[in-house]
Amino acid sequence: MVNLKSSGSASAEPKPQYGHLSETDPEFAPLREATDAQFAQLWQMPMDEFKMAWLTTPPALPPNCPVPGKHIEIVDQKAPVRDGTQIGIRIYRPIKPQSGSALYLKAHGGGWVVGSHEVEEAENRFVAGMGNVIVVSVDYRM
């Protein structure tokens, strides 16, 4: 049962079992104020500028991320949808896919406002590079 009535308290307190998950990491604590200030600048940007900044920022890739041409292949293609519009799809696959590869269909995050294949670039590379998986990332319309 869901209780939609206000508890009377303006702030929610985490329950004891998971309360430790709400604590600020001590290594992050000194950076929090500067990080909050930088994010405040983002939230004040006009939406068209925010989208452009989001789409032109290179993806964050860890050092051990599979490399195109070495571990994986990445191919950009277009696919038609019902109304004839062409939408982008990005296919990630191992250099030597084996018979019986799994297919992983990925719709990137972005809250129907911003987003692109790069949102989950590292994840898509790892899935394709670490297993016998072909990843198809769909760049849906927003």
Side-chain angles (χ1 to χ4, degrees), residues 6-104:
S6 170
S7 65
S9 173
S11 63
E13 294 294 325
K15 302 294 182 202
Q17 183 178 2
Y18 300 109
H20 67 285
L21 298 175
S22 297
E23 296 172 5
T24 302
D25 185 300
E27 291 183 31
F28 176 71
L31 307 172
R32 185 171 185 158
E33 189 173 320
T35 302
D36 287 346
Q38 289 179 347
F39 273 104
Q41 292 174 4
L42 281 176
W43 306 142
Q44 294 172 8
M45 291 176 76
M47 184 53 74
D48 57 336
E49 289 180 33
F50 181 83
K51 286 181 180 182
M52 184 56 65
W54 181 274
L55 294 173
T56 57
T57 301
L61 301 173
N64 62 338
C65 196
V67 176
K70 183 175 180 182
H71 307 110
I72 59 170
E73 293 178 329
I74 300 176
V75 178
D76 287 310
Q77 295 182 345
K78 297 281 186 181
V81 293
R82 278 187 288 194
D83 66 2
T85 302
Q86 299 277 321
I87 61 169
I89 60 171
R90 182 170 289 167
I91 303 167
Y92 303 77
R93 61 178 157 240
I95 291 290
K96 296 180 181 177
Q98 301 169 7
S99 177
S101 296
L103 175 65
Y104 179 55

Side-chain angles (χ1 to χ4, degrees), residues 51 54-55 76 87-90 92 104-124 135-142:
K51 286 181 180 182
W54 181 274
L55 294 173
D76 287 310
I87 61 169
I89 60 171
R90 182 170 289 167
Y92 303 77
Y104 179 55
L105 181 63
K106 183 68 176 186
H108 61 73
W112 298 96
V113 179
V114 297
S116 66
H117 301 293
E118 287 77 13
V119 172
E120 276 95 14
E121 180 74 11
E123 176 186 340
N124 293 339
V135 178
V136 177
S137 175
V138 180
D139 197 15
Y140 55 85
R141 292 182 278 190
M142 290 183 261

